[in-house]
Coordinates of all heavy atoms in Angstrom, one line a residue:
P1 N -37.3 42.5 9.3 CA -37.7 43.0 8.0 C -37.4 42.0 6.9 O -36.3 41.5 6.9 CB -36.9 44.3 7.8 CG -36.2 44.5 9.1 CD -36.3 43.3 10.0
G2 N -38.3 41.8 6.0 CA -38.1 40.9 4.9 C -38.0 39.4 5.3 O -37.7 38.6 4.5
G3 N -38.4 39.1 6.5 CA -38.3 37.7 7.0 C -39.6 37.0 7.2 O -39.7 36.3 8.1
L4 N -40.6 37.3 6.3 CA -41.9 36.8 6.5 C -41.9 35.2 6.3 O -42.7 34.6 7.0 CB -42.9 37.4 5.6 CG -43.3 38.9 6.0 CD1 -44.1 39.5 4.9 CD2 -44.0 38.9 7.3
A5 N -41.0 34.7 5.5 CA -41.0 33.3 5.3 C -40.6 32.6 6.7 O -41.2 31.6 7.1 CB -40.0 32.9 4.2
E6 N -39.6 33.2 7.3 CA -39.2 32.7 8.6 C -40.2 32.8 9.7 O -40.5 32.0 10.5 CB -37.9 33.3 9.1 CG -36.7 33.0 8.3 CD -36.5 33.9 7.0 OE1 -37.4 34.7 6.8 OE2 -35.5 33.8 6.3
T7 N -40.9 34.0 9.7 CA -42.0 34.2 10.6 C -43.1 33.2 10.4 O -43.6 32.6 11.4 CB -42.6 35.7 10.4 OG1 -41.5 36.6 10.7 CG2 -43.7 35.9 11.3
A8 N -43.5 32.9 9.1 CA -44.5 31.9 8.8 C -44.1 30.6 9.4 O -45.0 29.9 9.9 CB -44.7 31.9 7.3
E9 N -42.9 30.2 9.2 CA -42.4 28.9 9.7 C -42.5 28.8 11.2 O -42.9 27.8 11.7 CB -41.0 28.6 9.2 CG -40.5 27.2 9.6 CD -41.3 26.1 9.0 OE1 -41.8 26.2 7.9 OE2 -41.5 25.1 9.7
I10 N -42.1 29.8 11.9 CA -42.2 29.8 13.4 C -43.7 29.8 13.8 O -44.0 29.0 14.7 CB -41.5 31.1 13.9 CG1 -40.0 31.0 13.7 CG2 -41.9 31.3 15.4 CD1 -39.3 32.3 13.9
L11 N -44.5 30.5 13.1 CA -46.0 30.5 13.5 C -46.6 29.1 13.2 O -47.4 28.6 14.0 CB -46.7 31.6 12.7 CG -46.4 33.0 13.1 CD1 -47.0 34.0 12.1 CD2 -46.8 33.3 14.5
R12 N -46.2 28.5 12.1 CA -46.6 27.1 11.8 C -46.2 26.1 12.9 O -47.0 25.3 13.4 CB -46.1 26.6 10.5 CG -46.9 27.1 9.3 CD -46.5 26.3 8.0 NE -45.2 26.6 7.6 CZ -44.8 27.6 6.9 NH1 -45.6 28.5 6.5 NH2 -43.5 27.7 6.5
Y13 N -45.0 26.3 13.4 CA -44.4 25.4 14.4 C -45.3 25.6 15.7 O -45.6 24.7 16.4 CB -43.0 25.8 14.7 CG -42.4 25.0 15.9 CD1 -42.0 23.7 15.8 CD2 -42.4 25.6 17.2 CE1 -41.5 23.0 16.9 CE2 -41.9 25.0 18.3 CZ -41.5 23.7 18.1 OH -41.0 23.0 19.2
L14 N -45.5 26.9 16.1 CA -46.3 27.2 17.3 C -47.7 26.5 17.2 O -48.1 25.9 18.2 CB -46.4 28.7 17.5 CG -45.1 29.4 17.9 CD1 -45.3 30.9 17.9 CD2 -44.5 28.9 19.2
A15 N -48.3 26.7 16.1 CA -49.7 26.2 15.9 C -49.7 24.7 15.9 O -50.6 24.0 16.5 CB -50.3 26.7 14.7
R16 N -48.7 24.1 15.3 CA -48.7 22.6 15.1 C -48.1 21.9 16.3 O -48.7 20.9 16.8 CB -47.8 22.3 13.9 CG -47.7 20.8 13.6 CD -46.8 20.5 12.3 NE -45.5 21.0 12.6 CZ -44.9 21.9 11.8 NH1 -45.4 22.5 10.8 NH2 -43.6 22.3 12.1
E17 N -47.0 22.4 16.9 CA -46.3 21.6 17.9 C -46.7 22.0 19.4 O -46.6 21.2 20.3 CB -44.8 21.8 17.8 CG -44.3 21.3 16.4 CD -44.4 19.8 16.3 OE1 -44.4 19.1 17.2 OE2 -44.6 19.4 15.1
L18 N -47.1 23.3 19.5 CA -47.5 23.7 20.9 C -49.0 23.6 21.0 O -49.6 22.7 21.5 CB -47.0 25.1 21.2 CG -45.4 25.2 21.3 CD1 -45.0 26.6 21.6 CD2 -44.9 24.2 22.3
S19 N -49.7 24.7 20.5 CA -51.1 24.8 20.6 C -51.6 26.0 19.8 O -50.9 27.0 19.9 CB -51.6 24.8 22.0 OG -53.0 25.1 22.1
R20 N -52.8 25.9 19.2 CA -53.3 27.1 18.6 C -53.8 28.1 19.7 O -54.1 29.3 19.4 CB -54.5 26.8 17.8 CG -54.1 26.1 16.5 CD -55.3 25.9 15.6 NE -54.8 25.2 14.4 CZ -55.4 24.2 13.8 NH1 -56.6 23.8 14.4 NH2 -54.9 23.6 12.8
D21 N -53.8 27.7 21.0 CA -54.1 28.6 22.1 C -52.9 29.2 22.7 O -53.0 29.9 23.7 CB -54.9 27.8 23.2 CG -56.3 27.4 22.7 OD1 -56.9 28.1 22.0 OD2 -56.7 26.3 23.1
T22 N -51.7 29.0 22.1 CA -50.5 29.6 22.6 C -50.6 31.1 22.4 O -51.0 31.6 21.4 CB -49.3 29.1 21.7 OG1 -49.2 27.7 21.9 CG2 -48.0 29.8 22.2
Y23 N -50.2 31.8 23.5 CA -50.2 33.3 23.4 C -49.0 33.7 22.6 O -47.9 33.3 22.8 CB -50.0 33.8 24.8 CG -50.0 35.3 24.9 CD1 -51.2 36.1 24.9 CD2 -48.8 36.0 25.0 CE1 -51.1 37.5 25.0 CE2 -48.7 37.4 25.1 CZ -49.9 38.1 25.1 OH -49.9 39.5 25.1
V24 N -49.2 34.6 21.6 CA -48.2 35.0 20.6 C -48.1 36.5 20.6 O -49.1 37.2 20.5 CB -48.5 34.5 19.2 CG1 -47.5 35.0 18.2 CG2 -48.6 33.0 19.2
N25 N -46.9 37.0 20.8 CA -46.6 38.5 20.7 C -45.8 38.8 19.5 O -44.6 38.6 19.5 CB -46.0 38.9 22.0 CG -45.8 40.4 22.0 OD1 -46.1 41.2 21.1 ND2 -45.2 40.9 23.1
L26 N -46.4 39.2 18.4 CA -45.7 39.6 17.2 C -45.3 41.0 17.4 O -46.1 41.9 17.5 CB -46.5 39.4 16.0 CG -46.9 38.0 15.6 CD1 -47.9 38.0 14.5 CD2 -45.6 37.3 15.1
M27 N -44.0 41.3 17.4 CA -43.6 42.7 17.7 C -43.1 43.4 16.4 O -42.5 42.8 15.6 CB -42.4 42.6 18.7 CG -42.9 42.0 20.0 SD -41.7 42.1 21.3 CE -40.3 41.2 20.7
N28 N -43.5 44.7 16.3 CA -43.2 45.5 15.2 C -42.2 46.6 15.5 O -42.1 47.6 14.8 CB -44.4 46.1 14.6 CG -45.2 47.0 15.5 OD1 -44.9 47.0 16.7 ND2 -46.2 47.7 15.0
Q29 N -41.4 46.5 16.5 CA -40.6 47.6 17.0 C -39.2 47.5 16.6 O -38.4 48.3 17.0 CB -40.6 47.6 18.5 CG -39.8 46.4 19.1 CD -40.5 45.8 20.3 OE1 -41.7 45.9 20.5 NE2 -39.7 45.3 21.2
Y30 N -38.8 46.6 15.7 CA -37.4 46.5 15.3 C -36.9 47.8 14.8 O -37.5 48.5 14.0 CB -37.2 45.5 14.2 CG -35.8 45.4 13.6 CD1 -34.8 44.8 14.4 CD2 -35.5 46.0 12.4 CE1 -33.5 44.8 13.9 CE2 -34.2 46.0 12.0 CZ -33.2 45.4 12.7 OH -31.9 45.4 12.3
Y31 N -35.7 48.2 15.3 CA -35.0 49.4 14.9 C -33.5 49.0 14.5 O -32.8 48.4 15.3 CB -35.0 50.4 16.0 CG -34.2 51.6 15.7 CD1 -34.8 52.7 14.9 CD2 -32.9 51.8 16.1 CE1 -34.1 53.8 14.6 CE2 -32.2 52.9 15.8 CZ -32.8 53.9 15.0 OH -32.1 55.0 14.7
P32 N -33.1 49.4 13.3 CA -31.7 49.0 12.9 C -30.7 49.9 13.6 O -30.7 51.1 13.4 CB -31.7 49.3 11.4 CG -32.8 50.3 11.1 CD -33.8 50.0 12.2
G33 N -29.9 49.3 14.4 CA -28.9 50.1 15.2 C -27.6 49.4 15.2 O -27.4 48.3 14.7
G34 N -26.7 50.0 15.9 CA -25.3 49.4 16.0 C -24.7 49.1 14.7 O -24.7 49.9 13.8
T35 N -24.0 47.9 14.6 CA -23.3 47.6 13.4 C -24.2 47.2 12.3 O -23.7 47.2 11.1 CB -22.4 46.3 13.7 OG1 -23.2 45.3 14.1 CG2 -21.3 46.7 14.7
V36 N -25.5 47.1 12.5 CA -26.4 46.8 11.4 C -26.4 48.0 10.4 O -26.5 47.8 9.2 CB -27.8 46.6 12.0 CG1 -28.8 46.6 10.9 CG2 -27.8 45.2 12.7
R37 N -26.3 49.2 11.0 CA -26.4 50.4 10.2 C -25.1 50.7 9.3 O -25.2 51.5 8.4 CB -26.6 51.6 11.1 CG -27.9 51.4 11.8 CD -28.2 52.6 12.7 NE -29.0 53.5 11.9 CZ -29.4 54.7 12.2 NH1 -29.0 55.2 13.4 NH2 -30.1 55.4 11.5
D38 N -24.1 49.9 9.5 CA -22.8 50.2 8.7 C -22.9 49.5 7.4 O -21.9 49.6 6.6 CB -21.6 49.8 9.5 CG -21.4 48.3 9.8 OD1 -22.2 47.5 9.2 OD2 -20.5 48.0 10.5
G39 N -23.9 48.8 7.1 CA -24.1 48.2 5.7 C -23.6 46.7 5.6 O -23.8 46.1 4.6
R40 N -23.1 46.2 6.7 CA -22.6 44.8 6.7 C -23.8 43.8 6.6 O -23.7 42.7 6.2 CB -21.8 44.4 7.9 CG -20.4 45.1 7.8 CD -19.5 44.7 8.8 NE -20.1 44.9 10.2 CZ -19.6 44.3 11.3 NH1 -18.6 43.5 11.2 NH2 -20.1 44.6 12.4
F41 N -25.0 44.3 7.1 CA -26.2 43.4 7.1 C -27.3 44.1 6.3 O -28.2 44.6 7.0 CB -26.6 43.1 8.5 CG -25.5 42.5 9.4 CD1 -24.7 43.3 10.2 CD2 -25.1 41.2 9.2 CE1 -23.7 42.8 11.0 CE2 -24.1 40.6 10.0 CZ -23.4 41.5 10.9
P42 N -27.2 44.2 5.0 CA -28.2 45.0 4.3 C -29.7 44.6 4.5 O -30.5 45.5 4.4 CB -27.8 44.8 2.8 CG -26.9 43.6 2.8 CD -26.3 43.5 4.2
D43 N -29.9 43.4 4.8 CA -31.3 43.0 5.0 C -31.9 43.5 6.3 O -33.1 43.5 6.4 CB -31.5 41.4 5.0 CG -31.1 40.8 3.7 OD1 -31.2 41.5 2.7 OD2 -30.8 39.6 3.7
L44 N -31.1 44.0 7.2 CA -31.5 44.5 8.5 C -31.4 46.0 8.6 O -31.5 46.5 9.7 CB -30.7 43.8 9.6 CG -30.9 42.3 9.6 CD1 -30.0 41.7 10.7 CD2 -32.3 41.9 9.8
T45 N -31.2 46.7 7.5 CA -30.9 48.2 7.6 C -32.2 49.0 7.6 O -32.1 50.2 7.5 CB -30.0 48.6 6.5 OG1 -30.6 48.3 5.3 CG2 -28.6 48.0 6.7
R46 N -33.4 48.4 7.6 CA -34.6 49.1 7.6 C -35.5 48.6 8.7 O -35.4 47.5 9.2 CB -35.3 49.0 6.2 CG -35.7 47.6 5.9 CD -36.5 47.6 4.6 NE -37.0 46.3 4.3 CZ -38.1 45.7 4.7 NH1 -38.9 46.4 5.6 NH2 -38.4 44.5 4.4
M47 N -36.5 49.4 9.0 CA -37.5 49.0 10.0 C -38.6 48.2 9.3 O -38.7 48.2 8.1 CB -38.2 50.3 10.6 CG -37.2 51.1 11.4 SD -37.9 52.6 12.0 CE -39.0 52.0 13.3
L48 N -39.3 47.5 10.1 CA -40.4 46.6 9.6 C -41.5 47.6 9.0 O -41.8 48.6 9.6 CB -41.0 45.9 10.8 CG -42.0 44.7 10.5 CD1 -41.3 43.6 9.8 CD2 -42.6 44.3 11.8
T49 N -42.1 47.2 7.9 CA -43.2 48.0 7.3 C -44.5 47.6 8.0 O -44.7 46.4 8.4 CB -43.3 47.8 5.8 OG1 -43.7 46.5 5.5 CG2 -42.0 48.2 5.1
P50 N -45.5 48.5 8.0 CA -46.8 48.1 8.5 C -47.4 46.9 7.7 O -48.0 46.1 8.3 CB -47.6 49.4 8.3 CG -46.7 50.5 8.4 CD -45.4 49.9 7.7
A51 N -47.2 46.9 6.4 CA -47.7 45.8 5.6 C -47.1 44.4 6.1 O -47.8 43.4 6.1 CB -47.4 46.0 4.1
E52 N -45.8 44.4 6.3 CA -45.2 43.2 6.8 C -45.8 42.7 8.1 O -46.0 41.5 8.3 CB -43.7 43.4 7.0 CG -42.9 43.5 5.6 CD -41.5 43.9 5.8 OE1 -41.2 44.8 6.7 OE2 -40.6 43.3 5.1
Y53 N -45.9 43.7 9.0 CA -46.5 43.3 10.3 C -47.9 42.8 10.2 O -48.2 41.8 10.8 CB -46.5 44.6 11.2 CG -47.1 44.4 12.6 CD1 -46.5 43.5 13.5 CD2 -48.3 45.0 12.9 CE1 -47.0 43.3 14.8 CE2 -48.8 44.8 14.2 CZ -48.2 43.9 15.1 OH -48.8 43.7 16.3
H54 N -48.7 43.5 9.4 CA -50.1 43.0 9.3 C -50.2 41.7 8.5 O -51.1 40.9 8.8 CB -50.9 44.1 8.6 CG -51.1 45.3 9.4 ND1 -51.9 45.3 10.6 CD2 -50.7 46.6 9.3 CE1 -51.9 46.5 11.2 NE2 -51.1 47.3 10.4
E55 N -49.3 41.4 7.6 CA -49.3 40.2 6.9 C -48.9 39.0 7.9 O -49.5 38.0 7.9 CB -48.2 40.2 5.8 CG -48.3 38.9 4.9 CD -47.4 39.0 3.7 OE1 -47.0 40.1 3.3 OE2 -47.0 37.9 3.2
A56 N -48.0 39.3 8.8 CA -47.6 38.3 9.8 C -48.8 38.0 10.7 O -49.1 36.8 11.0 CB -46.4 38.7 10.6
R57 N -49.5 39.0 11.2 CA -50.7 38.9 12.0 C -51.7 38.1 11.3 O -52.4 37.2 11.8 CB -51.2 40.2 12.5 CG -50.3 40.8 13.6 CD -50.9 42.1 14.1 NE -52.1 41.8 14.9 CZ -52.2 41.5 16.1 NH1 -51.1 41.3 16.8 NH2 -53.4 41.3 16.7
G58 N -52.0 38.4 10.0 CA -53.0 37.7 9.2 C -52.6 36.2 9.1 O -53.5 35.4 9.1
Y59 N -51.4 35.9 8.8 CA -51.0 34.6 8.7 C -51.2 33.8 10.0 O -51.6 32.7 10.0 CB -49.5 34.4 8.3 CG -49.2 33.0 7.8 CD1 -49.7 32.5 6.7 CD2 -48.4 32.3 8.6 CE1 -49.4 31.2 6.3 CE2 -48.1 31.0 8.3 CZ -48.6 30.4 7.1 OH -48.3 29.1 6.8
A60 N -50.9 34.4 11.1 CA -51.1 33.8 12.4 C -52.6 33.5 12.6 O -52.9 32.4 13.1 CB -50.6 34.7 13.6
R61 N -53.4 34.4 12.3 CA -54.9 34.2 12.4 C -55.3 33.0 11.5 O -56.2 32.2 11.8 CB -55.7 35.4 12.1 CG -55.6 36.4 13.2 CD -56.6 37.6 12.9 NE -56.2 38.8 13.6 CZ -55.5 39.7 13.0 NH1 -55.3 39.7 11.7 NH2 -55.1 40.8 13.7
K62 N -54.8 33.0 10.2 CA -55.1 32.0 9.3 C -54.8 30.6 9.8 O -55.5 29.6 9.6 CB -54.3 32.2 8.0 CG -54.6 31.2 6.9 CD -53.8 31.6 5.6 CE -54.0 30.5 4.6 NZ -53.1 30.8 3.4
L63 N -53.7 30.5 10.6 CA -53.3 29.2 11.2 C -54.1 28.9 12.4 O -53.9 27.8 13.0 CB -51.8 29.3 11.6 CG -50.8 29.3 10.5 CD1 -49.4 29.6 11.0 CD2 -50.8 28.0 9.7
G64 N -55.0 29.8 12.8 CA -55.8 29.5 14.0 C -55.3 30.0 15.3 O -55.8 29.8 16.4
L65 N -54.2 30.8 15.2 CA -53.6 31.4 16.4 C -54.4 32.6 16.8 O -54.3 33.6 16.1 CB -52.1 31.7 16.2 CG -51.2 30.5 16.0 CD1 -49.9 31.0 15.4 CD2 -51.0 29.8 17.3
Q66 N -55.2 32.6 17.8 CA -56.1 33.6 18.1 C -55.7 34.5 19.3 O -56.2 35.6 19.5 CB -57.5 33.1 18.4 CG -58.2 32.4 17.2 CD -58.3 33.3 16.0 OE1 -58.8 34.5 16.2 NE2 -58.0 32.9 14.8
R67 N -54.8 34.0 20.1 CA -54.3 34.7 21.3 C -53.1 35.6 20.9 O -52.0 35.4 21.4 CB -54.0 33.8 22.4 CG -55.2 33.0 22.9 CD -54.9 32.1 24.1 NE -54.5 33.0 25.2 CZ -53.7 32.6 26.1 NH1 -53.1 31.4 26.1 NH2 -53.4 33.4 27.1
L68 N -53.4 36.6 20.0 CA -52.3 37.5 19.6 C -52.4 38.7 20.4 O -53.4 39.3 20.6 CB -52.5 37.9 18.1 CG -52.6 36.7 17.1 CD1 -52.9 37.2 15.7 CD2 -51.3 35.9 17.2
D69 N -51.2 39.1 20.9 CA -51.1 40.3 21.7 C -51.4 41.5 20.8 O -50.9 41.6 19.7 CB -49.7 40.4 22.3 CG -49.5 41.6 23.2 OD1 -50.0 41.6 24.3 OD2 -48.9 42.6 22.8
H70 N -52.2 42.4 21.3 CA -52.5 43.6 20.6 C -52.5 44.8 21.6 O -53.6 45.1 22.2 CB -53.8 43.5 19.8 CG -54.1 44.7 18.9 ND1 -53.3 44.9 17.8 CD2 -54.9 45.7 19.1 CE1 -53.8 46.1 17.2 NE2 -54.7 46.6 18.0
R71 N -51.4 45.4 21.7 CA -51.3 46.5 22.7 C -51.6 47.8 22.0 O -51.1 48.1 20.9 CB -50.0 46.5 23.4 CG -49.7 45.3 24.1 CD -48.4 45.3 24.7 NE -48.2 43.9 25.2 CZ -47.2 43.6 26.0 NH1 -46.3 44.5 26.4 NH2 -47.0 42.4 26.5
R72 N -52.3 48.7 22.6 CA -52.6 50.0 22.1 C -51.4 50.9 22.6 O -50.9 50.7 23.6 CB -53.9 50.5 22.6 CG -55.1 49.7 22.1 CD -56.3 50.3 22.7 NE -56.5 51.6 22.0 CZ -57.6 51.9 21.4 NH1 -58.6 51.1 21.3 NH2 -57.7 53.1 20.8
A73 N -51.1 51.8 21.7 CA -50.0 52.8 22.1 C -50.5 53.6 23.3 O -51.6 54.0 23.3 CB -49.7 53.7 20.9
H74 N -49.6 53.9 24.2 CA -49.8 54.7 25.3 C -50.1 56.2 24.9 O -49.5 56.7 23.9 CB -48.6 54.7 26.3 CG -48.9 55.3 27.6 ND1 -48.8 56.7 27.8 CD2 -49.3 54.8 28.8 CE1 -49.1 56.9 29.0 NE2 -49.4 55.8 29.7
A75 N -51.0 56.9 25.6 CA -51.4 58.2 25.2 C -50.2 59.2 25.1 O -50.1 60.0 24.1 CB -52.4 58.8 26.2
R76 N -49.2 59.1 26.0 CA -48.0 59.9 25.9 C -47.2 59.6 24.6 O -46.6 60.5 24.0 CB -47.1 59.8 27.1 CG -47.7 60.7 28.3 CD -46.8 60.6 29.4 NE -47.1 59.4 30.2 CZ -46.3 58.9 31.1 NH1 -45.2 59.4 31.4 NH2 -46.7 57.8 31.7
L77 N -47.1 58.3 24.3 CA -46.4 58.0 23.0 C -47.1 58.5 21.8 O -46.5 59.1 20.9 CB -46.3 56.4 22.9 CG -45.7 55.9 21.6 CD1 -44.3 56.4 21.4 CD2 -45.8 54.4 21.6
L78 N -48.4 58.5 21.8 CA -49.2 59.0 20.7 C -48.9 60.5 20.6 O -48.8 61.0 19.4 CB -50.7 58.7 20.8 CG -51.1 57.3 20.7 CD1 -52.6 57.1 20.9 CD2 -50.8 56.8 19.3
L79 N -48.9 61.2 21.7 CA -48.6 62.7 21.6 C -47.2 62.9 21.1 O -47.0 63.8 20.3 CB -48.7 63.3 23.0 CG -50.1 63.4 23.6 CD1 -50.1 63.9 25.0 CD2 -51.0 64.4 22.7
R80 N -46.2 62.2 21.5 CA -44.9 62.3 21.0 C -44.8 62.0 19.5 O -44.1 62.8 18.8 CB -43.9 61.4 21.8 CG -42.5 61.5 21.3 CD -41.9 62.9 21.7 NE -40.5 62.9 21.2 CZ -40.1 63.9 20.3 NH1 -40.9 64.8 19.9 NH2 -38.9 63.9 19.9
L81 N -45.4 61.0 19.1 CA -45.5 60.6 17.7 C -46.1 61.7 16.8 O -45.7 62.0 15.7 CB -46.1 59.3 17.4 CG -45.4 58.1 18.0 CD1 -46.3 56.8 17.9 CD2 -44.1 57.9 17.2
A82 N -47.2 62.4 17.4 CA -47.8 63.4 16.8 C -46.9 64.6 16.6 O -46.9 65.3 15.5 CB -49.1 63.9 17.5
E83 N -46.1 64.9 17.6 CA -45.1 66.0 17.5 C -44.1 65.7 16.3 O -43.8 66.6 15.5 CB -44.3 66.1 18.8 CG -45.1 66.6 19.9 CD -44.4 66.5 21.2 OE1 -43.2 66.2 21.2 OE2 -45.0 66.8 22.3
V84 N -43.7 64.5 16.2 CA -42.7 64.1 15.2 C -43.3 64.1 13.8 O -42.7 64.4 12.9 CB -42.1 62.7 15.6 CG1 -41.2 62.2 14.4 CG2 -41.3 62.8 16.8
G85 N -44.6 63.7 13.8 CA -45.3 63.5 12.5 C -46.1 64.7 12.0 O -46.9 64.6 11.2
G86 N -45.7 65.9 12.6 CA -46.4 67.1 12.1 C -47.8 67.2 12.5 O -48.7 67.7 11.8
G87 N -48.2 66.7 13.7 CA -49.5 66.8 14.2 C -50.4 65.6 14.1 O -51.4 65.5 14.6
K88 N -49.9 64.6 13.2 CA -50.7 63.4 13.0 C -49.9 62.2 13.6 O -48.7 62.1 13.2 CB -51.0 63.2 11.6 CG -51.9 64.2 11.0 CD -52.1 63.9 9.5 CE -52.9 65.0 8.9 NZ -53.1 64.9 7.5
P89 N -50.4 61.5 14.5 CA -49.7 60.3 15.0 C -49.3 59.4 13.9 O -50.1 59.0 13.1 CB -50.7 59.6 16.0 CG -51.7 60.7 16.3 CD -51.8 61.6 15.1
R90 N -48.0 59.1 13.8 CA -47.5 58.1 12.8 C -46.6 57.2 13.5 O -45.8 57.5 14.4 CB -46.8 58.9 11.7 CG -47.7 59.9 11.0 CD -47.1 60.6 9.9 NE -47.0 59.7 8.7 CZ -48.0 59.4 7.9 NH1 -49.2 59.8 8.2 NH2 -47.8 58.6 6.9
Y91 N -46.6 55.9 13.0 CA -45.7 54.9 13.4 C -45.2 54.1 12.2 O -46.0 53.6 11.5 CB -46.3 54.0 14.5 CG -45.4 53.0 15.0 CD1 -44.3 53.4 15.8 CD2 -45.6 51.7 14.8 CE1 -43.5 52.4 16.3 CE2 -44.7 50.7 15.3 CZ -43.7 51.1 16.1 OH -42.8 50.2 16.6
L92 N -44.0 54.0 12.0 CA -43.4 53.3 10.9 C -44.0 53.8 9.6 O -44.2 53.0 8.7 CB -43.6 51.8 11.0 CG -42.9 51.2 12.2 CD1 -43.2 49.7 12.2 CD2 -41.5 51.4 12.2
G93 N -44.3 55.1 9.5 CA -44.7 55.6 8.2 C -46.2 55.5 8.0 O -46.7 55.9 7.0
A94 N -46.9 54.9 8.9 CA -48.4 54.7 8.8 C -49.1 55.4 10.0 O -48.6 55.5 11.1 CB -48.7 53.3 8.8
P95 N -50.3 55.9 9.7 CA -51.1 56.5 10.8 C -51.3 55.5 12.0 O -51.5 54.3 11.7 CB -52.4 56.9 10.2 CG -52.1 57.0 8.7 CD -51.0 56.0 8.5
V96 N -51.3 56.0 13.2 CA -51.5 55.1 14.3 C -53.0 54.9 14.4 O -53.8 55.9 14.4 CB -51.0 55.7 15.6 CG1 -51.3 54.9 16.8 CG2 -49.5 55.9 15.5
A97 N -53.4 53.7 14.5 CA -54.9 53.3 14.7 C -55.4 53.7 16.0 O -54.7 53.7 17.0 CB -55.1 51.8 14.4
D98 N -56.7 54.1 16.1 CA -57.3 54.5 17.3 C -57.7 53.2 18.1 O -58.0 52.2 17.5 CB -58.5 55.3 17.1 CG -58.1 56.7 16.6 OD1 -57.0 57.1 16.9 OD2 -58.9 57.3 15.9

C-alpha cells in the first residue's frame, strides 16, 4: 500500500533488464497482520486499494509488459464475498468484476 513508486521502479527494471515478455504477477492480496497492526509500521496498516492495483497494472502495460497474470476469482470465493458484502460480491471495497 502506498508503494507505487517502488512498484513502478521494479516494473521498469523488469521491462528494461529482463524482457517485456516477462510474465508478471501483480498481487492485490496484501493484508495487514501480525506486528504491522500494532502501529509500528503505519504505512502498512491498510490493504491495497483497487485504484492502486489498477494504477500498477496500467503502468505495467504502459511499459509494454503484456504478460500480466489476471486470475478470476473462484466461484466459491465470490459466493463467500457476497455473503460478507450483503449480497453483492465485494473485494477491497470494490465490486468484483465478472
Side-chain angles (χ1 to χ4, degrees):
L4 287 172
E6 291 87 354
T7 300
E9 184 59 34
I10 291 166
L11 292 171
R12 279 192 295 277
Y13 174 84
L14 293 173
R16 181 182 62 239
E17 301 296 329
L18 296 179
S19 168
R20 289 187 181 134
D21 290 326
T22 299
Y23 181 82
V24 177
N25 184 0
L26 292 170
M27 299 188 298
N28 62 348
Q29 72 219 27
Y30 174 75
Y31 176 81
T35 59
V36 169
R37 299 181 93 187
D38 68 9
R40 291 188 301 167
F41 306 100
D43 294 341
L44 300 176
T45 58
R46 66 174 180 85
M47 295 176 73
L48 191 70
T49 66
E52 288 171 318
Y53 177 68
H54 291 294
E55 186 175 339
R57 287 186 65 85
Y59 191 71
R61 284 190 209 98
K62 181 179 173 184
L63 290 170
L65 294 165
Q66 298 298 317
R67 296 186 64 209
L68 302 177
D69 183 76
H70 185 71
R71 298 177 191 193
R72 297 180 68 126
H74 190 276
R76 278 185 279 166
L77 173 60
L78 289 175
L79 289 173
R80 179 68 183 123
L81 292 171
E83 291 171 9
V84 173
K88 296 180 182 175
R90 300 185 75 72
Y91 182 66
L92 298 181
V96 175
D98 293 334

